[in-house]
Amino acid sequence: RVGGGRRAEHGTSRAMFENKLASLLQKYLGDFVYGLEDKDALRVSVFRGQIELKNLKLRPEALKFLGIPGLTVRAGLLGCLTLRIPWNKLGSEPVIVEFDRIYALGSLDASGKGSLYDDAEQAEEASAAAKKRRIEAAVSQMIAAADKADATAKDAGKDEGSGGYFNRIIQTVLGNLQVIITNLHVRLEDPYWGFAIDFTIEELSGVTVNDKGEPDFVSSGLNEQLRKKFKLRKLQLYMDPNAEEMTSETPWEDLSVNKWDDLFMPHITGESEELQKTFFLKPVNADLLYNRKVGKAEVGDEGEIIQTISLNFEELGITALQSQYMTIQRMLQTFEVVSARAPYSHIRPHCSVKTSPRAWWHYAVNALFNSGLVRKRITLNNLVGWNSKREAYVKAYIARLRQENTEEPLSSGPTSDIMEEMEAELNEKTIVFFRCLAIGEHKRRKLERTKSSKGSGGGWLFGWGSSKKVTTEEEEEEEDNVNFDSEDWQKLQSIYMKDSEGDATEDSPKGMMDGDIFVEVNVVSTSLQLFQSPEKEILQGSINEMKVQANFIEGLLGITAYVGSYLLESKGFEIMKNGLVSSEAKAFTLTVEQKQVYDLHLTHIQANIAPCFVQVYRPSLEDILVYFSAHDKGATRLTTLGMQASAAAQEIGKNTAEQLQSAIASRPRLTFSLDLQAPKVAVVWGEAENAKSLVVNLGRIVLSSEDSKDETVWQRMRVKLSDTEVYLADGELQWKSVDINKFTDCMSIDLPKSALLPKFGMEILFQYGDLSAQESQLSLDLHVPDFSLHFSPMLVYDAMNLTHYYMTLSSILDSGENSFENAELADVVQIAISSEAAGTNEILSQKLGNKRPNSLTMNWIHSCKVYLKDDFLYADIPGNAVSKSIFLGRASQILAVPSKFVDDRENVIIVTESNDRLKQALNMDSSIVISFDDVERKGIWLQTLQSRNEHLRGYAQRTADFGDEFLRQGTEVEEPKSVSVHIHGKLDIFHLFVNGRAYSA
C-alpha cells in the first residue's frame, strides 16, 4: 500500500506538472507566437516527454516588450521550440528548453500616419475593433493579476515544507533548468529614413554548474546554494544607413525554412565582407557566473545571503562610419516622433483629416483630456449619470457572461445592443473598470451556487463575496444591483489602480537583492574606430585590461576599479596615451570604501592616475569636428535628444543637489587620497618645416584630507601642485617619438625650446566649517613659493599665431550661410546688456525717488539681432565678438515681463536658465532680456520659444506671465544658510624675465 500510495502521488504530481507546463507555455509564449492555442495537444506532448514545435509564426506584437512605440513585426519565425522532459530521471537529468532560429522583421512607422482608411465607415470600424482588442487585453491582464494575488495569498498561509514530492520535483527542475537560444536575428527597418538595424546572437545559454564551473546536475541543497553559468556568443549589431527593404517573392506565411535562413542567417554568421562593412558593434563573447549561498551551514548566521556575480567580456569593439552616426540621429528622430504620439495613439483616428474632420476634432479634445492640460468639470449630474451607466453596463455584461456559459450567440439580443451603445460613449478605462465589476460579481454568484454558505468563499479577487447569501439564477435575473460591500470595492480599487498607474506593489522575490552582493566585471580589451568613409579612418582608440569590482555588505559600498592602458590615435598621431612607471602599474586605479563607526558613515576615496600624454593636432580636430557636425536637414541633432534626456537629468541633478546639501548639513566624514600625474599636453601648429609646439606639463597633483583640531572645522583638504611648467619648442613634437616612461620634465624634450613658465608649484588648503547655526565659512589659503614668467616679443608673436591657428576651427562648424538670415525665426530688437558691457555697477538698478520700488533701470542696446536656430536662442550685440546664446532645453523660465519692472516698457520677454525670482533673473548676465516694438511680434516669439522649450524638456512647464501671486511679499522663500568665503594668497618670490628685440614681421 505504501508503494501504491507513492505511485499514486507520483502520478498525481505528474499530471499536475503536465498541466502546469502546458499552461506556462501558453502564458509565456502565447503572446509571441501563433500555434499554442491547443492546450490538449500540448498536454499530450508534455506527457510524451518532448515537445517539438516547428515553424511557428511570430505575432505582430511579439517585440512589444522592447518598449519601442510604433514597432510591429511584419514577419517572423520561430524555427524550432524543443522541450525535453526526462520523466523517469527528473532527479538526475535536467529539463532542457531550446529555441532555434528566431527571426523577426520589425518595422517602425515614423510618419505618424499609421494605417489610414479613405472611407470613414471603415475607419470607424477599425477604430472600434482596435478599442475592443485593447479593452479585452486590459481586462485579461487585470484578471491574471488578481488571480495571481489570490494564489499568493493562499500560498502564504501554507507551511513552506508542504507540497511533498511535487514541490521537491519542481524545485529540482527549476534549479537545473537549461535554456538554450541559438540563431537569433531581429531586424528593424525604418521605411521613412531607409535604414536598417540588425541585432543577432549566435548562442545564449544558461546551465547549472558545480564549484569548478563545470556543467552539473544538483539534486539537493538548491535552497542553500545555486550556481548558474550563462554563455553569450557572437552578439553583433549591424547598422546599414542605406538598406534595401527585406522582401520575399513568396508570401511570408508560406516561406520555407530554407528561404528564411537565406535571408536571416548571413547576419548571424557574419562572414560576408559586405555585411562586415556595416558592423557597428563587433562580435561580443561573454560569460557570466552567478553564485548564491544561503544558510548557516555555509555562510554563518542563519538566513544570511551572499550573491556573487562575475561577468567577463573578451572584447568590446565599436566601429562607426559617419553615415552610421547620421543614422543614429535619424533613429533618434524616429523614436522622438513615435514617442510623442504614443500616449494618444490609442485614440488616434484611422482616417485622414480630409476623410473625417469631426473624428480629428474629437481626437484633439480627447488628447487634451488625456494629457491633463484640460480637466472635465465634475457635477452631481455627472456622478448620477455615471452610476446609472455602471449599473446598466454591469448587469448587461453579467448577462453576457451567462450567455457564454450556455453557448448562446453573443451578437444578438438587447444585451449586446445596450453594451455597444454604452461602449461607444465610454472611455476605455471606464469600460475596463465596469467589466471587472461584472466579472467579480459573476464569479461570486457562481461560487455561491456551488458552495454552501458555510464555506470559506476563497473566490476570485481575494475571495470576494465570502459572506454573501446564496442566490439562484432566477434571483440573479431579478437582482439589479451589484452586491459589493466596502471591502470588495477597496480590493477592486487596489487591483485597478495598481494596473492602471503601473505601481507594482508586490514585493520582490525574497533573496533577489537581499544580503551581501559581490559583482565583478572584466573586459580584456575595448576598441573604438570612427570612419569618415569606409576608406578614411579618422580616430582609433583602445583600452586594455579593464576591471571593476563592487560589493554591497550590510548596506555599505566598496568599489575597486582599474584600467591597464589606453591609446587614442588619429592621422598617425598618438593624441592621447598613458605612460607607466613600471610594467605592473595601471593607467588608472580607484578605490571607494565605506565604513560605519557607531552612527557615522565614513567614506574613503583613493585614486591614482599614471602620466597622460595629450597631442593637440589641428588636422585631427578638423576631421573629428566634421564627423560630429554632420546632420541631415529635417533630422534632429543630438542636442535635441540630449536635452530631452537632460530634462530628466536636471530633475535628478536637482534632487542630488538637495540630498548633497542635506548630507553636508549632517557633516559626513569623507576622507580621500588622490595622486594624479596631471596631463602633459603638446599643442602643435604651423606647417611641418615651420611647425612649433606649445608644451604644457601640468606636473603632479596630490589631494589629501586632513584632520582638524578645531571642532568648528569639519572638512579640511590640502592640494599640492608641483612640477608645473610651460615651454615653447621649435618643431613638431610627437609623443610617440619620446620615451614617455623616461619623461621627467620639458627639458628632456630633444627640440630647441624656451621657457614661458619654468617649473613652479603651489599649495592650497581648503577648510569648511560652521561659524554659527546660520552661517558657514569656506576658507582658501594659497601659497606659491616661487613663480617665474618669461616674456619676449617672439613669445607674444607665437602666442598670437597659435590663437589664430586654432580659433579658425569654428569656421568648420559654420555651414557658410549667414545664421541670422537662415534662422527659423529672426528679428532686430533691443536687448539689455550686462554690467561689464555697460560699464556700470548694475545693469538693472532700482529706481530712486517716488517711483515704484520694484521698477528697474535698464541699459538697452539698439539694433541687436536675435534669432532661433538649431534649438538655440542667439543674441548678437554690437561690439561683442561672441553671441550670447541659451539652449532652449535648459531654459527654466521663458516669460513675459510686466512693464512695471522694466522702465514701464511693454512687450518685454526674458529667457533664462535661472530658477530665481523675476528681479534676480533680470539682473543676471546669463539671461537674455528682449524688448520688441509691438505686441504681435512679442506674442509670436513668446509662443515659439515656450513651445520649443516644452518639446525639448519633455513636459509642459509654461507660464505666460508673472502674475501678481508670484510677486506678493507674502511669498517669501526661506533664506538658505549663508556661506562666507575667505581667500588668502601668498607669493614668496616672483621673477619676471624680459628679453628679445622688437622687429617687423
Side-chain angles (χ1 to χ4, degrees), residues 906-970:
E906 303 287 346
N907 309 320
V908 176
I909 68 173
I910 179 174
V911 180
T912 179
E913 297 180 5
S914 170
N915 287 310
D916 292 335
R917 305 173 77 182
L918 178 60
K919 290 171 61 177
Q920 286 82 356
L922 286 170
N923 275 287
M924 289 186 175
D925 180 45
S926 59
S927 302
I928 298 180
V929 184
I930 310 171
S931 176
F932 296 93
D933 292 338
D934 56 71
V935 66
E936 182 179 354
R937 290 162 65 189
K938 168 206 166 186
I940 293 173
W941 274 90
L942 187 62
Q943 182 179 5
T944 302
L945 296 177
Q946 288 175 339
S947 299
R948 188 65 57 85
N949 175 253
E950 292 173 5
H951 170 71
L952 293 172
R953 291 171 68 90
Y955 59 91
Q957 186 178 339
R958 182 169 67 183
T959 305
D961 291 279
F962 266 118
D964 291 337
E965 60 184 2
F966 294 97
L967 308 174
R968 289 197 302 264
Q969 297 296 325

Side-chain angles (χ1 to χ4, degrees), residues 160-397:
E160 294 183 0
S162 64
Y165 176 80
F166 180 68
N167 272 0
R168 292 194 300 273
I169 202 67
I170 285 289
Q171 185 184 71
T172 303
V173 168
L174 294 179
N176 293 278
L177 180 66
Q178 293 186 12
V179 180
I180 303 172
I181 300 174
T182 54
N183 301 319
L184 168 68
H185 182 181
V186 177
R187 179 180 176 90
L188 172 61
E189 294 182 345
D190 189 319
Y192 182 80
W193 292 108
F195 68 81
I197 298 174
D198 294 87
F199 175 82
T200 66
I201 294 178
E202 186 178 76
E203 181 183 352
L204 176 63
S205 61
V207 300
T208 303
V209 296
N210 56 25
D211 55 354
K212 297 180 181 179
E214 302 170 345
D216 197 1
F217 187 91
V218 180
S219 58
S220 61
L222 288 171
N223 277 337
E224 289 73 31
Q225 183 157 11
L226 175 65
R227 299 185 186 93
K228 284 283 186 180
K229 185 175 184 179
F230 299 89
K231 179 172 68 174
L232 174 66
R233 293 295 178 266
K234 289 191 73 172
L235 182 150
Q236 302 165 126
L237 185 65
Y238 299 83
M239 190 177 292
D240 191 346
N242 303 298
E244 296 183 0
E245 185 178 354
M246 184 178 287
T247 57
S248 171
E249 298 179 356
T250 307
W252 290 104
E253 56 270 15
D254 300 329
L255 204 64
S256 66
V257 176
N258 291 334
K259 294 292 184 182
W260 281 96
D261 289 342
D262 293 340
L263 292 171
F264 286 85
M265 192 59 73
H267 286 82
I268 298 176
T269 58
E271 297 174 353
S272 169
E273 293 184 2
E274 287 299 317
L275 289 178
Q276 289 178 3
K277 293 178 180 179
T278 62
F279 264 143
F280 185 77
L281 178 64
K282 293 181 178 180
V284 175
N285 297 326
D287 294 286
L288 185 146
L289 183 62
Y290 173 78
N291 188 5
R292 182 173 181 269
K293 295 181 180 180
V294 185
K296 183 177 179 180
E298 293 189 36
V299 183
D301 295 335
E302 186 174 357
E304 186 178 359
I305 301 173
I306 292 182
Q307 299 182 85
T308 305
I309 301 172
S310 178
L311 178 60
N312 297 286
F313 291 95
E314 293 181 7
E315 181 181 2
L316 295 175
I318 293 178
T319 62
L321 291 163
Q322 187 179 42
S323 56
Q324 290 177 320
Y325 169 74
M326 295 170 66
T327 298
I328 294 175
Q329 297 183 52
R330 297 167 183 167
M331 179 179 65
L332 298 177
Q333 173 74 1
T334 299
F335 288 164
E336 181 181 351
V337 171
V338 295
S339 298
R341 73 172 194 270
Y344 318 112
S345 60
H346 64 287
I347 58 176
R348 191 180 182 90
H350 287 69
C351 60
S352 64
V353 177
K354 184 178 180 181
T355 302
S356 179
R358 183 183 180 86
W360 281 91
W361 277 112
H362 279 294
Y363 164 71
V365 174
N366 290 330
L368 286 173
F369 286 137
N370 283 10
S371 67
L373 295 175
V374 177
R375 296 186 180 274
K376 293 181 180 180
R377 184 178 179 183
I378 300 176
T379 64
L380 181 60
N381 291 334
N382 295 143
L383 294 175
V384 173
W386 188 86
N387 189 57
S388 62
K389 288 180 181 179
R390 173 186 63 81
E391 293 179 353
Y393 189 93
V394 170
K395 183 178 179 181
Y397 198 77

Side-chain angles (χ1 to χ4, degrees), residues 66 106 108 126 171 247-248 424 575 689 700 741 759 795 815 875 907 925 931 970 993:
L66 295 177
L108 189 60
Q171 185 184 71
T247 57
S248 171
I575 61 177
E689 59 275 7
R700 181 182 180 185
N741 289 325
K759 276 188 182 180
L795 287 175
S815 62
N907 309 320
D925 180 45
S931 176
F993 299 91

Side-chain angles (χ1 to χ4, degrees), residues 577-582 610-615 677-682 693-700 722-727 729 733-751 753 759:
K577 69 176 180 179
N578 67 285
L580 302 176
V581 295
S582 67
C612 173
F613 295 84
V614 180
Q615 186 94 46
Q677 294 290 339
K680 291 74 170 101
V681 183
S693 303
L694 178 69
V695 185
V696 180
N697 177 15
L698 297 179
R700 181 182 180 185
S722 59
D723 298 332
T724 301
E725 55 185 345
V726 179
Y727 272 70
L733 174 63
Q734 295 193 37
W735 290 119
K736 66 180 181 181
S737 62
V738 177
D739 188 351
I740 59 177
N741 289 325
K742 295 181 180 180
F743 178 88
T744 55
D745 52 33
C746 292
M747 295 301 297
S748 61
I749 298 174
D750 190 18
L751 286 174
K753 52 193 171 292
K759 276 188 182 180

